[in-house]
Amino acid sequence: ACMVDLLGRAGLLDEAEDFIKEMPCQPDSVTWITLLGSCRNHRCIDQGKHAAEHALELDSQSTAAYVVLSNIYAACDRWDNVAEVRKLMANRAVKKEPGCSWIEVNDRVHEFLVGDKSHPQIEEIFIELDRLSQEMDAAGYLPDSNLVFHEINVEQKEQLLCHHSEKLAI
C-alpha cells in the first residue's frame, strides 16, 4: 500500500494500478482503498469507481470505500451518484461513524464529535473558535470548502469546517 500511496500522491494513478495488478501477492482492500484515495485527490472518477469495486469485492462492509467513492462523486458535483452510493450503503447496512477527536487536559480526556454540543464548555469553545476564525480571516486564511462534500452553500460549508471535531478539541 505504501508504494501505491507514493505513486498516487505523485499523480501516477495508472502506474499505481499496474503496481497493484503486478504484486506477487493478492492485494487487500486497503491497497485498493489507497488507490481510491489518490483518485479522490486527483478527481479521477472512472479509476476511482474501479478501485472501489475491487475494494468492495474484498470487503463489502468497508466504510472507507463507500465514503471515498461518494466524496469523489460529490467533488465532481455528481449528486445522483452520491445518492446511489449512500443507498447502496443503506441496503448493505453499512454506517459511517461520525468524526471524533480526543484531547487530554489535566489528566482528563475530552471527546469531540462533529456537530456535538454536549461538552460542558461548548459555548466557550465556540466563542474561542469564532475569535480564532476572525483572526485567521484577517490574516488572509481561506478555508478549502471543496473538502466539504454536501449540497450546501459555501458559507454553510465554512461553518462545518470551523466546527470540525479536531478544531473543537484544540
Side-chain angles (χ1 to χ4, degrees):
C2 290
M3 191 66 188
V4 172
D5 186 46
L6 288 171
L7 292 166
R9 286 175 188 263
L12 303 172
L13 301 177
D14 291 334
E15 289 85 344
E17 187 167 351
D18 289 343
F19 181 84
I20 293 171
K21 291 175 180 175
E22 295 170 8
M23 289 172 53
C25 59
Q26 184 69 21
D28 60 8
S29 65
V30 172
T31 304
W32 285 107
I33 291 169
T34 302
L35 176 60
L36 177 60
S38 293
C39 292
R40 177 198 60 214
N41 294 339
H42 297 284
R43 295 187 179 195
C44 294
I45 295 173
D46 293 333
Q47 199 164 18
K49 183 178 179 186
H50 180 72
E53 288 169 353
H54 280 289
L56 293 170
E57 280 176 20
L58 296 166
D59 179 6
S60 64
Q61 296 297 301
S62 172
T63 307
Y66 294 103
V67 171
V68 176
L69 180 60
S70 176
N71 288 349
I72 292 171
Y73 288 140
C76 297
D77 291 326
R78 292 184 50 175
W79 298 105
D80 289 342
N81 294 110
V82 171
E84 287 174 18
V85 172
R86 290 181 181 167
K87 183 178 178 182
L88 186 59
M89 287 177 72
N91 290 344
R92 294 182 177 175
V94 176
K95 294 185 181 180
K96 180 187 179 300
E97 295 296 322
C100 181
S101 298
W102 297 271
I103 187 169
E104 184 177 337
V105 178
N106 297 327
D107 296 323
R108 185 167 174 232
V109 176
H110 300 266
E111 178 182 50
F112 295 90
L113 299 169
V114 174
D116 182 18
K117 296 179 182 172
S118 65
H119 191 278
Q121 294 176 294
I122 198 66
E123 287 187 35
E124 293 92 339
I125 291 168
F126 282 159
I127 289 169
E128 181 63 12
L129 272 177
D130 289 342
R131 185 190 70 74
L132 289 171
S133 291
Q134 289 173 7
E135 199 173 307
M136 291 186 304
D137 289 344
Y141 172 74
L142 295 171
D144 187 356
S145 62
N146 290 322
L147 299 174
V148 179
F149 300 117
H150 300 289
E151 267 187 299
I152 56 177
N153 67 42
V154 172
E155 186 176 300
Q156 290 171 310
K157 287 182 178 187
E158 289 176 1
Q159 186 68 22
L160 281 173
L161 285 171
C162 182
H163 295 161
H164 202 274
S165 66
E166 286 93 349
K167 287 185 179 179
L168 293 173
I170 290 171

